[in-house]
Amino acid sequence: MSDEVKDAGLVAMISSILGGNKRADSVAPPPPAEVPPIVPADAVGPTSSSDPAAAKAENAPDAVPAATKPVEPPVQIATTRDGKRLLPAEAIADLVLGELRKLEDFPSSGVSVTVYGYRNWNAMLTFAPFSTSFQNATRFRQAIPDLVFKLRRFVELEI
C-alpha cells in the first residue's frame, strides 16, 4: 500500500473522528504489478530421458540446490559482568507482560507496559478504557513493584 493511500485513509479517519464533513480525496490504489509466475524448484516436470545416469546426476546429494540460504549463527545473548542479561526495553516489557498475564482476571488486550530508566529501570502499566475494572487495574499496578524487583536481579536494560 502506498504512502498516499495510507495518508488519505488517515485523513479520512481523523476527519470522521473530529466530525468534519470533508472527505479525503479519493486516491485509487495503484494497479497490481504484473509478476511473472514463479515455478517452485520442487515442481520440475517429468523428464523424457530414459537414461538412468542422467536421472541419478539430477538427484545427486552433491548437487547444490538453487535456493539455498545461508545458515545464520545462533544469536548471542549479551550479559553484564555480574551475569545479568542485557535486553532492550521492548523485550523487558514483554517479560513483564508475560508475568502479569499469569495473574487471575488479567485482560487479554488493552494493556500497555512501558519500561523506563537505566540502572534501576522501572515499568509502568496503562490500560485502555473498558479493558478492566478499576479494582483489578489497581491490583495489577500494585503487583508491578514486586515483579520489577525480581526481574532486576536477572535482567539489565540495554541502552
Side-chain angles (χ1 to χ4, degrees):
M1 185 179 281
S2 70
D3 290 336
E4 295 171 351
V5 173
K6 289 179 185 176
D7 290 343
L10 187 60
V11 169
M13 182 181 72
I14 292 171
S15 176
S16 68
I17 290 173
L18 296 177
N21 292 331
K22 298 178 184 175
R23 294 220 170 226
D25 296 334
S26 63
V27 177
E34 292 186 26
V35 179
I38 298 173
V39 177
D42 296 339
V44 177
T47 58
S48 62
S49 171
S50 62
D51 184 18
K56 187 176 182 181
E58 289 178 7
N59 296 330
D62 296 334
V64 178
T68 59
K69 59 180 183 179
V71 176
E72 296 178 13
V75 177
Q76 297 280 335
I77 298 176
T79 57
T80 62
R81 283 181 266 145
D82 54 349
K84 294 180 181 179
R85 291 173 41 188
L86 280 173
L87 294 176
E90 295 85 16
I92 296 175
D94 289 341
L95 283 174
V96 171
L97 192 58
E99 289 297 316
L100 287 171
R101 288 195 192 279
K102 295 176 184 176
L103 296 175
E104 184 182 347
D105 295 332
F106 193 80
S108 59
S109 63
V111 181
S112 174
V113 176
T114 304
V115 175
Y116 60 94
Y118 176 59
R119 287 282 178 196
N120 291 325
W121 59 268
N122 208 346
M124 177 178 67
L125 191 61
T126 55
F127 295 95
F130 307 109
S131 63
T132 188
S133 66
F134 179 78
Q135 289 84 9
N136 283 341
T138 303
R139 184 170 56 97
F140 300 139
R141 285 188 180 116
Q142 288 172 349
I144 288 286
D146 292 333
L147 180 61
V148 167
F149 180 75
K150 290 176 185 174
L151 283 175
R152 275 191 209 146
R153 291 187 291 174
F154 304 108
V155 178
E156 191 70 36
L157 182 62
E158 179 181 78
I159 299 290

